[in-house]
Amino acid sequence: MSESIEYRNLNPSDYDEIIRVWNEAGLGHKPKGRDNRDRMTVEISRAPDLFIGAFVKDKLIGTVIGSFDGRRGCVNRLAIVPQYRRQRIAEKLVAICEERLKKMGALVIYCLIDKENEPSLTLFSKRLGYHIHDGIVYLSKRDNWDA
Ligand SMILES: CC(C)(COP(=O)(O)OP(=O)(O)OC[C@H]1O[C@@H](n2cnc3c(N)ncnc32)[C@H](O)[C@@H]1OP(=O)(O)O)[C@@H](O)C(=O)NCCC(=O)NCCS
């Protein structure tokens, strides 16, 4: 029998568990930069509906973070621990995140994916209806690479 998955907002107190899930999923994190505990505490408090977790019996097994800049929505930090993959948990997390971003006014929702990340590219482009923009190059500016 498959275990029941609960989807609910993440709290600042989930921080250590969030980092565990990212590490188990192979995403890593930037403890000195945007994934710093204090920063994330502020971010979660500012937009609690956009930090969403998937739980099995209260254990965090997946995450997604939405962000809205007032024009567009972004799906970030989608991660499912290996033993719970291929159960459409990522699909469900993205669907919840999209719904909330649209409610906030996002007309366009995007995500950034490494070219080599076949599972994620397949998920977003083949299952979730995202269009791949071949002609766009991602540029970023930061004070240091820990950010
Ligand atoms: C990408 C990731 C989030 C997918 O999580 P998941 O819960 O296993 O995904 P789902 O079960 O919702 O997958 C839905 C569909 O996406 C596609 N997909 C997912 N994983 C895939 C894989 N390894 N290979 C090919 N297609 C895949 C399939 O079409 C799948 O449907 P199917 O199982 O019926 O074939 C997960 O593999 C992960 O955490 N990866 C590491 C972190 C990461 O890369 N995050 C994304 C950053 S942009």
Side-chain angles (χ1 to χ4, degrees):
M1 199 178 77
S2 67
E3 291 169 290
S4 84
I5 316 289
E6 194 190 342
Y7 298 91
R8 59 177 144 91
N9 289 1
L10 294 163
N11 293 308
S13 61
D14 294 314
Y15 180 83
D16 291 326
E17 283 292 280
I18 295 170
I19 302 303
R20 175 188 57 77
V21 167
W22 292 353
N23 284 329
E24 285 184 25
L27 269 190
H29 72 292
K30 303 268 190 186
K32 293 183 188 156
R34 59 189 183 274
D35 303 324
N36 168 271
R37 184 188 296 270
D38 292 340
R39 275 189 68 101
M40 276 184 53
T41 297
V42 172
E43 283 179 24
I44 294 174
S45 313
R46 216 186 272 144
D49 284 348
L50 294 181
F51 286 73
I52 307 153
F55 293 82
V56 173
K57 294 190 189 117
D58 272 344
K59 190 169 174 70
L60 187 66
I61 55 105
T63 68
V64 70
I65 299 176
S67 56
F68 180 53
D69 64 12
R71 287 174 66 87
R72 295 183 304 173
C74 182
V75 177
N76 311 267
R77 299 267 109 184
L78 179 65
I80 307 295
V81 297
Q83 63 269 38
Y84 283 97
R85 287 182 187 167
R86 303 307 281 264
Q87 297 182 44
R88 304 270 161 87
I89 299 171
E91 248 187 59
K92 177 73 181 169
L93 279 172
V94 175
I96 297 169
C97 189
E98 285 177 353
E99 192 186 304
R100 294 178 180 184
L101 287 167
K102 282 182 191 165
K103 229 175 174 175
M104 290 175 165
L107 297 178
V108 175
I109 298 174
Y110 70 99
C111 62
L112 299 170
I113 303 175
D114 280 346
K115 261 187 177 167
E116 296 75 25
N117 191 341
E118 207 50 52
S120 196
L121 282 172
T122 306
L123 167 66
F124 279 91
S125 68
K126 301 264 187 331
R127 297 272 323 165
L128 296 172
Y130 284 64
H131 177 80
I132 295 176
H133 296 262
D134 278 331
I136 292 179
V137 179
Y138 175 59
L139 288 85
S140 72
K141 187 174 180 179
R142 42 192 104 190
D143 289 339
N144 64 67
W145 286 98
D146 288 333

